[in-house]
Each structure stands twice: as structure tokens, then as C-alpha cells.
Amino acid sequence: EGAADAARARFGEAFALAERQQAPGWALRCAESLARLEREQGRGGPWQARLGELASTFTEGRGATDLRRIEALLASWGLG
């Protein structure tokens, strides 16, 4: 679990940086990674909900690969 904690910390730092730099695409990817970590560890959590919130803010590019992948992921979790 130490590696997962380290990954969570780094992705959290990257997410914060993406938000400070107003880079929503990067923030979305970081949130996806954090949500996947939560899920892989068998727990629901705030990042799964946050990923859904972030994905819903994209009004353009709904057909983009990242958004299609994230929407499918959320749907498979019963969140989309």
C-alpha cells in the first residue's frame, strides 16, 4: 500500500498544480488516476465523484478520447 499512497500523493500534487495553472484537461486526467486508485483499492471515495463533476464541466470536445474513456469508466461504476 506504500506505493499506492505515494502515487496518490503525486497525483494529488499534479491535480493541484493543474488547477492552479487552469489546465482542466490535465486536472481531469489526474482526477481519473486518483479515482482509479480509489477503485482499485476497493473503496469509493471523493475522487470518483470529483471525476464526474469535472467531466460534466466540459461542454466542447465531448467526443474526445479522454472524455469518452472517462464517461465509460463512470458508467461502469454506476456513476454516469
Side-chain angles (χ1 to χ4, degrees):
E1 185 150 326
D5 289 339
R8 189 173 13 279
R10 297 300 171 263
F11 282 125
E13 292 168 6
F15 179 82
L17 178 62
E19 286 210 315
R20 280 195 308 274
Q21 292 183 345
Q22 298 179 343
W26 287 111
L28 185 68
R29 290 181 192 106
C30 293
E32 178 187 7
S33 296
L34 286 158
R36 284 181 184 274
L37 275 173
E38 284 178 343
R39 194 68 175 200
E40 288 170 7
Q41 293 181 328
R43 55 182 166 181
W47 286 106
Q48 291 174 43
R50 184 75 173 121
L51 179 60
E53 292 168 6
L54 286 169
S56 71
T57 64
F58 284 80
T59 56
E60 295 182 17
R62 298 299 307 173
T65 303
D66 286 345
L67 285 173
R68 285 196 323 262
R69 181 185 65 247
I70 289 167
E71 288 170 352
L73 182 65
L74 290 168
S76 76
W77 291 343
L79 299 173

